Amino acid sequence: MKTKKILIPAIVCAAITLSACGAGNDEPADAATDTRTEASDALSAMTEESAMNAVIASYQEKNPGYETGAVENDYWDVSTEDEGEIVVLYHSYTGAINRYYIDPATGNTIVTEFVPGIIDDEQETGESFNINDYL
């Protein structure tokens, strides 16, 4: 008899434990995917300010010692195009104008340059990078 009294509570405890462990696995596989998608969406929700700061960080990496605004007529600006593309503009003290075209969904960035009086049209520089590396 004593064996039955001890055995039944042990079986009940084991059943409760197993059902509790399985409860967490009842979540649909899509829930994990949704969580990853939400995290990805949060990362891709790039602001103009964060895009400009990341472009400046990239520029400083390529030009050690550069300080924003240290030279007169040197400035940065940012805007968003109608298609949602973020454009960061850098106007150098030399008069050269570089534009960084950023796809906010992927972070892919293409750089162009325009030098008034020297280059007639804005031209791609061949430089490209992913802005997410500098966020």
Side-chain angles (χ1 to χ4, degrees):
M1 275 298 213
K2 286 186 179 180
T3 306
K4 286 184 182 179
K5 288 182 183 177
I6 295 173
L7 186 58
I8 290 174
I11 292 172
V12 171
C13 286
I16 291 171
T17 303
L18 288 175
S19 67
C21 289
N25 294 332
D26 291 341
E27 187 176 294
D30 291 342
T33 303
D34 290 343
T35 303
R36 282 191 296 259
T37 302
E38 288 171 11
S40 175
D41 289 346
L43 289 175
S44 67
M46 184 180 305
T47 66
E48 288 182 348
E49 183 180 0
S50 66
M52 185 165 70
N53 289 337
V55 168
I56 292 171
S58 166
Y59 189 85
Q60 288 173 325
E61 181 180 275
K62 293 172 183 73
N63 300 281
Y66 171 79
E67 292 182 35
T68 307
V71 179
E72 200 171 323
N73 297 325
D74 173 80
Y75 66 87
W76 294 87
D77 193 21
V78 63
S79 62
T80 301
E81 300 291 315
D82 291 337
E83 302 82 30
E85 184 176 52
I86 297 174
V87 180
V88 176
L89 177 138
Y90 170 58
H91 185 275
S92 172
Y93 70 95
T94 64
I97 300 169
N98 289 359
R99 286 188 177 88
Y100 298 78
Y101 292 92
I102 304 163
D103 179 344
T106 64
N108 292 333
T109 305
I110 297 171
V111 185
T112 66
E113 183 176 44
F114 173 64
V115 184
I118 297 176
I119 301 174
D120 293 333
D121 295 320
E122 182 178 33
Q123 298 176 356
E124 285 191 30
T125 64
E127 178 184 0
S128 63
F129 58 94
N130 193 297
I131 201 76
N132 293 319
D133 295 339
Y134 298 93
L135 290 176

